[in-house]
Amino acid sequence: MTTELIIRIFIAALLGGAIGLEREYRAKEAGFRTHFLVALGSALFMVISQYGFGEVLSSLNKASFDPSRIASQVVTGIGFIGTGTIIFQKHVLKGLTTAAGLWVTAAIGLTCGSGMFALAIVATIFVLICLEALNWVLHRFGSKNIAITFSTSSKENIQRILKQMKEEDADLDTYEMKELKTSSGSVYEVSMEVKVRRNKYQSKILQLMEEFEGVTIETIE
């Protein structure tokens, strides 16, 4: 029996690690070690819930047996870890996919802990397909928010940038301009958030840095 239980948590750790490797490759908030530990811990909790109290139950005839009593708490507990990967930054929620991945990784660990290996393996394959397919679709058809801060001494330069953004179907979400007084005259500092196609993200940055004379790019995020 002990060997079988070790195999259960071993397979759970492998499957969780496979999902974690994909997240690690994408440089996400939770990577290999987090997913590995979540799957391993979930499987261990399931094993303990099923077999950890056999001696106590055998000595107490009136004790009730509910194998889901510990494992059910994993679903609640994993929410705290998932919340830690979610970041609200510049009006955009980040980390939701990773949080959902941790949630389903815990479910896969529980499935392995209960001995349903085929179901756990199929679920892992579905998760990896979903993550990779989602990344390909978003890169090809999705959009990305870029936060840009630049300074210039000419309002005409600002108008040129805004005009080019409009011509290239970039959506301007927020815009803020400040006039700074210096010894050599006025300098305009502009902060904006622009939504562009992901497959044009790098070319947009290079274009902004190279094309406009008299414009100093402060930050691009």
Side-chain angles (χ1 to χ4, degrees):
M1 175 62 73
T2 302
T3 302
E4 179 185 348
L5 299 182
I6 293 175
I7 291 174
R8 291 186 183 187
I9 63 174
F10 177 74
I11 294 177
L14 287 181
L15 297 180
I19 298 175
L21 283 175
E22 192 280 337
R23 295 286 83 190
E24 191 85 33
Y25 174 73
R26 299 295 177 191
K28 299 302 180 179
E29 293 78 8
F32 172 79
R33 290 177 295 181
T34 303
H35 287 79
F36 182 94
L37 292 174
V38 165
L40 177 63
S42 299
L44 191 57
F45 276 123
M46 176 59 82
V47 169
I48 294 173
S49 185
Q50 287 182 325
Y51 305 104
F53 305 96
E55 294 183 2
V56 176
L57 292 171
S58 61
S59 62
L60 299 174
N61 295 328
K62 294 183 179 180
S64 60
F65 176 67
D66 180 11
S68 67
R69 65 194 182 280
I70 295 179
S72 62
Q73 302 306 311
V74 175
V75 180
T76 304
I78 199 64
F80 291 97
I81 300 178
T83 302
T85 66
I86 300 174
I87 302 173
F88 184 73
Q89 184 180 33
K90 298 185 181 300
H91 310 289
V92 178
L93 277 175
K94 298 181 179 181
L96 286 175
T97 302
T98 301
L102 287 172
W103 178 68
V104 75
T105 299
I108 290 171
L110 292 173
T111 305
C112 287
S114 64
M116 295 183 286
F117 301 125
L119 182 61
I121 293 172
V122 171
T124 302
I125 293 173
F126 283 166
V127 170
L128 294 175
I129 291 175
C130 174
L131 292 174
E132 285 301 307
L134 180 63
N135 181 75
W136 181 84
V137 171
L138 288 177
H139 182 75
R140 187 177 181 86
F141 303 106
S143 59
K144 181 179 179 66
N145 282 6
I146 304 177
I148 306 171
T149 302
F150 64 90
S151 60
T152 179
S153 59
S154 172
K155 286 187 176 181
E156 287 74 15
N157 287 332
I158 301 174
Q159 295 174 354
R160 287 169 54 206
I161 293 175
L162 294 177
K163 182 178 179 181
Q164 180 168 340
M165 290 291 183
K166 184 176 180 181
E167 291 176 351
E168 297 183 1
D169 297 326
D171 296 328
L172 182 63
D173 288 341
T174 62
Y175 174 85
E176 181 182 0
M177 182 179 70
K178 297 179 182 179
E179 183 178 2
L180 307 176
K181 298 293 185 178
T182 64
S183 58
S184 57
S186 296
V187 175
Y188 302 96
E189 184 179 87
V190 178
S191 299
M192 64 174 65
E193 290 186 17
V194 183
K195 185 177 294 184
V196 298
R197 292 281 295 273
R198 285 179 179 265
N199 56 358
K200 297 181 179 180
Y201 171 63
Q202 294 181 346
S203 61
K204 291 287 185 188
I205 294 178
L206 294 176
Q207 189 175 20
L208 284 171
M209 295 181 65
E210 296 176 357
E211 182 168 334
F212 297 104
E213 296 182 0
V215 175
T216 301
I217 304 296
E218 306 291 346
T219 59
I220 297 179
E221 300 178 357

